[in-house]
Amino acid sequence: MMNHALIEILADGLFHSGEDMGSSLGISRAAIWKQLQKLEAMNIPLHSVKGKGYRLPEAVELLKLDALQDHGFPSDKFATSNIELSLDSTNNRMMSVAETNISDRHIVLAEMQTAGRGRRGRQWLSPFARNLYFSVLWPFSQGIAAIQGLSLAVGLAIQRSLKEQGVPGVGLKWPNDILVNGGHADGAKLGGILIELTGDMSDACQVVIGVGLNLDIQPKDLAQIDQQAVGVKQLGGQLSRNAMAANIVSHLCEVLEQFSSEGFAPLQQEWNDNDAFRGKKVRLILPSSEIQGICAGVNEKGELQLQTDEGLKAFNAGEVSLRVVAEGEG
């Protein structure tokens, strides 16, 4: 916990000397130096200037359980609710928890990820304390067949939350992206979802639901991302990270409880109403082929529907990619 206490001092983005930090925490300068080394080993960015001390590159709002609860975080829905300064991946942490978990729900949030993952093996950029990264471990008793459409339900929960909090123009992209139009054909990515499973695929299984949401995407971030991206701050939002996280997780729990008992069908129409690609000409890129058609929303199973020259076709999620056909293309 000493690492958290030290980061709380540094969260204002100002310089703090080792002597002052030691005095505040009741430990020696040598002990402070050791703790700072631990933070650097966790890849937390620290700036040091001789004669001034140490600071973070910018002031940050740290996630805190008491602050989350003040904003309505549903801690009663989880057996454990943890906040970590740095993880390789929140999904990896929950997959590890799943090894000894049968029926409990768990959540972990991280200030940063050193090896955050998106769908199809992509890296998920995860700078310290600027965005939201969390994973939920949620048990399902009926096996893999019961979770068809789950990523769509999760996306809808996030979209509901962002709309409630006044974030403008948020839409959904099949099967797992949160988008804002932003003038780009494929939209600018605001967030993404990564679903992973473990356990008995035909009976009781554990599902890990990873969520990454961009709150503040800076120009230096865009240079490292191979697609258009945007943050809530760039859309004009100035919301608290703790408030946003609490609201999103509340909506997520509500949707997951409904989905667990009723499946995706009751959510189909609302998802289609928020489909960013509905009615657009799109390309569905499969592992060994490509199909073009007009996006016709999803069916009650959560399958993508395309109106093609051969009629209406439905597709499952998997190793596929969906793109808008640019004007004059194809």
Side-chain angles (χ1 to χ4, degrees), residues 93-140:
R93 170 62 62 86
M94 286 293 95
M95 288 293 282
S96 177
V97 171
E99 292 176 3
T100 56
N101 182 86
I102 298 175
S103 58
D104 290 331
R105 303 165 179 174
H106 301 265
I107 184 170
V108 64
L109 305 96
E111 296 291 3
M112 70 176 291
Q113 299 179 113
T114 57
R117 292 181 288 118
R119 189 164 161 269
R120 305 178 71 202
R122 283 182 165 176
Q123 177 191 7
W124 189 270
L125 190 67
S126 308
F128 183 74
R130 276 203 272 122
N131 305 314
L132 293 179
Y133 327 107
F134 69 88
S135 293
V136 168
L137 176 61
W138 197 274
F140 284 85

Side-chain angles (χ1 to χ4, degrees), residues 196-302:
E196 296 185 288
L197 287 79
T198 186
D200 188 338
M201 297 300 107
S202 63
D203 191 11
C205 66
Q206 306 292 324
V207 179
V208 173
I209 302 161
V211 174
L213 185 70
N214 300 328
L215 301 188
D216 182 11
I217 291 291
Q218 300 177 1
K220 60 185 177 182
D221 301 323
L222 293 174
Q224 302 179 61
I225 301 174
D226 62 355
Q227 58 188 308
Q228 295 293 334
V230 69
V232 170
K233 183 177 181 180
Q234 284 68 46
L235 297 171
Q238 297 291 335
L239 300 172
S240 153
R241 288 177 76 228
N242 284 283
M244 290 207 74
N247 191 280
I248 288 170
V249 175
S250 293
H251 276 278
L252 179 58
C253 287
E254 179 182 323
V255 166
L256 287 175
E257 288 180 337
Q258 180 184 8
F259 184 91
S260 295
S261 61
E262 302 176 39
F264 177 72
L267 305 171
Q268 175 193 3
Q269 187 58 55
E270 186 181 356
W271 197 96
N272 281 333
D273 289 343
N274 291 284
D275 182 359
F277 282 13
R278 192 172 188 185
K280 294 184 178 181
K281 188 174 183 180
V282 298
R283 292 184 294 130
L284 184 65
I285 305 168
L286 305 170
S288 58
S289 63
E290 180 178 308
I291 297 173
Q292 290 194 10
I294 303 300
C295 186
V298 298
N299 62 21
E300 70 280 357
K301 297 178 182 178

Side-chain angles (χ1 to χ4, degrees), residues 16 34 57 65 70 93 111 167 231 280 305 309:
H16 296 270
K34 288 181 180 179
L65 194 54
D70 287 344
R93 170 62 62 86
E111 296 291 3
V167 181
K280 294 184 178 181
Q305 300 180 121
D309 292 341

